Amino acid sequence: MTSQPTLKTTGNDPGGPGEPGGPDGSSGLQAGLKNRHLSMIAIGGVIGAGLFVGSSSGIATAGPGILLSYALVGTLVVLVMRMLGEMSAANPTSGSFSAHADRALGPWAGFSIGWLYWFFWVVVLAVEATAGAVILEGWIPAVPQWAWALIVMLVLTATNLVSVGSYGEFEFWFAGIKVVAIAAFIVIGGLAVFGLLPGVDSEQAGLSNLTQHGGFLPHGAGAILTGVLLVVFSFMGSEIATLAAGESENPQQAVTKATNSIIWRVGVFYLGSIFVVVALLPWDSKSITDDGSYVAALDSLGIPHAGQIMNFIVLTSVLSCLNSGLYTASRMAFSLGQRGDAPKSFARTTSNGVPRTAILASVAFGFVAVFFNYKFPDSVFLFLVNSSGAVALFVWLVICFSQLRMRKIIQAEAPEKLVVKMWLYPYLTWATAALIVFILGYMLTDTEHDGRQTILLSLLVAAVVLAIAFVKHRGRGRRGADVAQAGVPEQGRDEVSAG
């Protein structure tokens, strides 16, 4: 039986924000994110490009009932973020859920979920870079698509290498544009739905679109679950605020604020905007699938250049996702390096508190993935995308099990740190975990939207990472036992184990 893990404070972690003592005498991460940065990262992190791009397929599949799919996944995200908020407010760290899993479940769990999460985001870098390149090439065709992908990757890599403050500033404006755009869309569209928008002739808009054209659930109740599979991955990113909080001036306050605001963020930006789309247009309108749900909605209001406006918003979302993806992947690599689960160089930082090697390693894999996207789009790159597709659900499941044990640890050792508490613990935690397992199981039955292929390939990659984790940590345990038998003092054992 393993010993009970203990709580750590951020200030005691080597290389923690604002603390000296990183590997090789580096300065460690620094508190370079301002409150306004954290606020916008928390708000914008839940609005991914997938909301604008992927919602049309969900509407076509479930009709107006897609609102229930978004509500179900949104509720799931709120519950998972509540659990993560509880652990992160008690112990803010750049490793977030990976570091919590390391303490609560064991090093194998922190290693596995950390590397799977890193893998997810470096693949996302390639997906988003290509999506942005397509839009930019449409505006300036003289520059080839691959060159645009290279340009956006290089610019945002440079941004992340300067300082965490420069990442925060870029993300503040990227997220700000997304938030303003979607808020304006909800207000204008909502006025049109209720016939209060002057100068706009939109006869087909109205609440009747929710019940006509085959009813609220034209394809039956089963389509709600199919819709869940199509929209669940657009919510990935809500956890970024807990990683970024570790580099803020008041991590506990930042995590608490982000956790408490997740309900209205999901309700307004996801449910609010999708409601406007399905109320403005019949769900089976050809323009939704041909032009995209948000472009079609803007077109229905007679707003000129709707397509280009939405392309600009999507491009901003893509750049935001790229910026945050690189930041998130590098901080997870940094945390893995701190814990000995990645090369020690990943945990080294510059004088500005930037984990340069972790950033460069992450973007290097991103460049390789971009190359695969252009050279082998239907084989290697498709494998990368599908094999990382279910990582979001794996992460959420690990958060559930980590919180079940971390609550007991916090209550025993530092109950004053429970400033955020999961509701109805442990029953709601178990119910959330059961729902995630159910969704994973339902994916195995989905052959129409590649759900089965995604879950099987993701499980394959997860199994490989888990095998590496067990081999690595079993070997580390043996070395520690050998050292103990040799009579090495306690401090020396820790140094050997950390090596």
Side-chain angles (χ1 to χ4, degrees), residues 368-384:
V368 171
V370 170
F371 169 77
F372 286 146
N373 192 15
Y374 287 106
K375 194 69 175 177
F376 311 106
D378 298 323
S379 54
V380 179
F381 187 70
L382 186 62
F383 169 81
L384 291 176

Side-chain angles (χ1 to χ4, degrees), residues 284-317:
D284 54 355
S285 174
K286 193 171 182 295
S287 60
I288 290 180
T289 53
D290 290 348
D291 304 327
S293 54
Y294 287 81
V295 173
L298 290 175
D299 276 333
S300 72
L301 298 177
I303 296 177
H305 309 296
Q308 291 305 318
I309 293 173
M310 190 51 60
N311 274 339
F312 173 75
I313 296 171
V314 171
L315 178 62
T316 302
S317 296

Side-chain angles (χ1 to χ4, degrees), residues 28-107:
L29 299 179
Q30 296 179 2
L33 292 176
K34 301 176 182 177
N35 289 336
R36 63 182 178 89
H37 294 156
L38 261 296
S39 297
M40 198 55 73
I41 289 170
I43 295 172
V46 80
I47 309 173
L51 174 63
F52 301 109
V53 179
S55 56
S56 56
S57 59
I59 293 172
T61 299
I66 194 66
L67 285 168
L68 297 180
S69 302
Y70 274 102
L72 184 61
V73 179
T75 301
L76 186 63
V77 170
V78 168
L79 295 174
V80 170
M81 277 297 296
R82 188 75 186 180
M83 298 177 217
L84 181 56
E86 176 181 294
M87 295 185 289
S88 295
N91 185 25
T93 170
S94 60
S96 189
F97 52 83
S98 175
H100 303 321
D102 189 287
R103 298 188 190 107
L105 305 178

Side-chain angles (χ1 to χ4, degrees), residues 414-428:
E416 72 279 0
K417 291 187 175 182
L418 276 174
V419 294
V420 176
K421 289 186 178 181
M422 176 60 183
W423 306 296
L424 297 177
Y425 168 87
Y427 309 108
L428 203 49

Side-chain angles (χ1 to χ4, degrees), residues 116 119-121 123-124 233 382-392 454 457-458 461:
L116 284 172
F119 174 59
F120 170 85
W121 278 111
V123 172
V124 166
F233 306 111
L382 186 62
F383 169 81
L384 291 176
V385 172
N386 285 335
S387 61
S388 64
V391 167
T454 296
L457 289 177
S458 296
V461 171

